[in-house]
């Protein structure tokens, strides 16, 4: 097959067809086009690069009975999009996020995103795994930023795909600042955050009329200080903890010390939206032992809303049951 159009405009088509193992030839400007090449190809993909000089190509394809399909030019490169991938399943990625992936030349991704579908979502893009596991950082944050910026400077349209929302414990702010400093245009595509959606997957609303009119999202990456624990306990709303399994004992102890009720309901929702979703429910004084076998990724919910979720038809069990059925 033959792909016509300037190298920049045609780059996405060339990559996509090569990734599909097609035998691809390219002609990047009308002056380099020889009709004889049409004797050797079955298909011409004409990328609209805006050059009026391609008009005779259409005629030549007709004469040589070669199939011609037209394709839009790839979006301009030298751009970075931080895309929120949502809590896991590809259908919880936004339409805008899908658009950004479709146009990407390079995708930097982590392990918590809809990775299984990435090859379809970003056809032909170069996929680079910069995934981190807690406490283990294969590629440092500075290195990721440097690689993204270098790639965009080479003329690529870069997507940095993140779990959930880029601005919720996703270092999105730092990456935007790094792009701005490097003079690379950057856009941020929001994502469905696990902080709200994962409790929801287990049937737990983070707010509920007359029960909780506020929720606080906390990182459990490092233990909270005593004043922070006191403020948190004093707020009276729902507490949602991400990355909180490792520090759960410190958090629960601290909240008890700060005066939160021992029988305050607590839920740990692991691997939300996956076939292995599991919800463990207990109270503040017993959750550490009840959740001793729990692991990240998990969202911890502390507050009366956990009981609301249960009362409203024991939905967490129903949700987990649905997940188990999907699994079997
Ligand atoms: N930016 C992300 C959060 C990144 S921190 C967001 O908005 O969701 C990573 C933490 O998110 C995990 O340790 C876990 O606490 C939580 N998390 C993300 N996806 C999850 C899922 N599918 N199930 C349970 N927890 C999840």
């Amino acid at each position: 097959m033959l792909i016509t159009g300037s190298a920049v405009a045609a780059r996405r088509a060339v990559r996509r067809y090569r990734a599909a193992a097609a035998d691809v030839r390219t002609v990047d400007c009308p002056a380099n086009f020889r009709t004889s090449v049409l004797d050797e190809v079955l298909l011409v993909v004409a990328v609209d690069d805006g050059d009026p000089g391609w008009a005779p190509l259409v005629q030549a394809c007709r004469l040589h009975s070669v199939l011609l399909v037209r394709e839009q030019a790839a979006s301009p490169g030298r751009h970075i999009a931080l895309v929120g991938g949502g809590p896991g399943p590809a259908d919880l990625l936004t339409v805008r996020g899908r658009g950004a992936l479709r146009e990407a030349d390079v995708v930097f991704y982590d392990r918590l995103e809809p990775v299984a579908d990435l090859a379809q979502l970003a056809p032909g893009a170069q996929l680079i795994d910069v995934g981190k596991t807690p406490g283990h950082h294969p590629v440092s944050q500075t290195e990721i930023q440097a690689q993204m910026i270098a790639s965009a400077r080479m003329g690529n349209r870069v997507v940095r795909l993140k779990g959930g929302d880029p601005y919720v414990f996703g270092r999105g702010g730092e990456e935007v600042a790094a792009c701005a400093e490097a003079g690379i245009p950057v856009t941020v595509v929001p994502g469905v955050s696990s902080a709200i959606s994962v409790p929801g997957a287990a049937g737990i609303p983070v707010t509920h009329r007359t029960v909780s009119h506020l929720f606080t999202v906390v990182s459990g990456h490092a233990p909270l200080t005593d004043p922070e624990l006191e403020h948190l306990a004093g707020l009276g709303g729902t507490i949602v903890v991400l990355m909180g399994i490792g520090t759960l004992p410190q958090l629960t102890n601290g909240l008890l010390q700060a005066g939160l009720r021992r029988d305050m309901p607590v839920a740990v929702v692991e691997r939300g939206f996956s076939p292995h979703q599991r919800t463990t429910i207990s109270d503040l004084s017993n959750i550490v032992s009840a959740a001793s076998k729990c692991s990240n990724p998990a969202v911890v919910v502390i507050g009366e809303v956990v009981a609301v979720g249960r009362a409203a038809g024991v939905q967490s069990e129903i949700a987990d049951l649905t997940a188990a059925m999907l699994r079997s």
Side-chain angles (χ1 to χ4, degrees):
M1 63 170 295
L2 174 71
I3 299 181
T4 63
S6 72
V8 170
R11 69 189 194 283
R12 207 176 60 208
V14 170
R15 242 194 349 262
R16 205 175 63 244
Y17 282 99
R18 288 209 167 122
D23 181 359
V24 176
R25 300 185 186 190
T26 57
V27 177
D28 63 354
C29 70
N32 292 340
F33 175 64
R34 307 273 171 275
T35 50
S36 57
V37 72
L38 296 181
D39 295 331
E40 295 157 26
V41 299
L42 297 169
L43 171 70
V44 171
V45 174
V47 175
D48 179 16
D49 63 3
D51 188 334
W54 291 113
L57 171 76
V58 182
Q59 188 67 15
C61 284
R62 249 186 236 129
L63 286 174
H64 285 73
S65 303
V66 172
L67 188 64
L68 173 88
V69 291
R70 292 168 188 276
E71 187 163 321
Q72 280 184 348
S75 308
R78 238 187 99 78
H79 178 271
I80 295 178
L82 308 184
V83 175
D91 58 355
L92 287 177
L93 175 68
T94 65
V95 174
R96 191 177 294 188
R98 281 174 173 265
L101 282 170
R102 211 170 26 245
E103 303 203 325
D105 297 304
V106 181
V107 179
F108 292 85
Y109 68 96
D110 285 337
R111 89 206 138 91
L112 279 178
E113 300 117 24
V115 265
D117 301 294
L118 252 190
Q120 277 105 33
L121 292 168
Q126 186 191 357
L127 307 178
I128 300 174
D129 181 3
V130 289
K132 303 184 204 76
T133 46
H136 177 66
H137 297 247
V139 187
S140 75
Q141 181 64 23
T142 328
E143 180 61 18
I144 294 171
Q145 285 167 200
Q147 283 186 23
M148 278 165 34
I149 288 166
S151 180
R153 281 206 171 118
M154 281 163 60
N156 286 322
R157 210 168 167 85
V158 174
V159 164
R160 170 76 171 107
L161 185 62
K162 309 235 157 206
D165 185 275
Y167 283 148
V168 180
F169 309 133
R171 310 194 76 163
E174 287 163 61
E175 288 172 7
V176 166
C179 293
E181 199 178 313
I184 302 290
V186 58
T187 50
V188 180
V189 180
V192 174
S193 179
S194 64
I196 300 171
S197 63
V198 169
I204 301 166
V206 289
T207 68
H208 191 71
R209 218 168 110 80
T210 73
V211 175
S212 172
H213 64 182
L214 64 101
F215 63 97
T216 309
V217 182
V218 182
S219 164
H221 188 63
L224 296 184
T225 62
D226 288 346
E228 284 171 335
L229 287 160
E230 259 167 50
H231 289 305
L232 202 54
L235 272 171
T238 308
I239 301 168
V240 178
V241 192
L242 305 191
M243 301 176 278
I245 296 299
T247 52
L248 193 60
Q250 288 103 314
L251 180 74
T252 50
N253 271 338
L255 289 173
L256 286 168
Q257 300 274 321
L260 215 61
R261 280 179 18 226
R262 297 182 64 76
D263 63 350
M264 181 63 83
V266 182
V268 176
V269 188
E270 297 167 271
R271 302 175 293 270
F273 294 100
S274 83
H276 306 287
Q277 178 177 317
R278 179 172 70 168
T279 309
T280 305
I281 292 180
S282 186
D283 61 27
L284 197 57
S285 59
N286 291 304
I287 190 65
V288 171
S289 60
S292 62
K293 297 224 159 56
C294 292
S295 58
N296 281 317
V299 174
V300 181
V301 190
I302 304 170
E304 299 291 356
V305 288
V306 172
V308 170
R310 301 204 92 194
V314 204
Q315 288 180 23
S316 52
E317 276 85 349
I318 292 171
D320 286 355
L321 206 63
T322 314
M325 279 162 65
L326 279 174
R327 185 167 62 228
S328 63

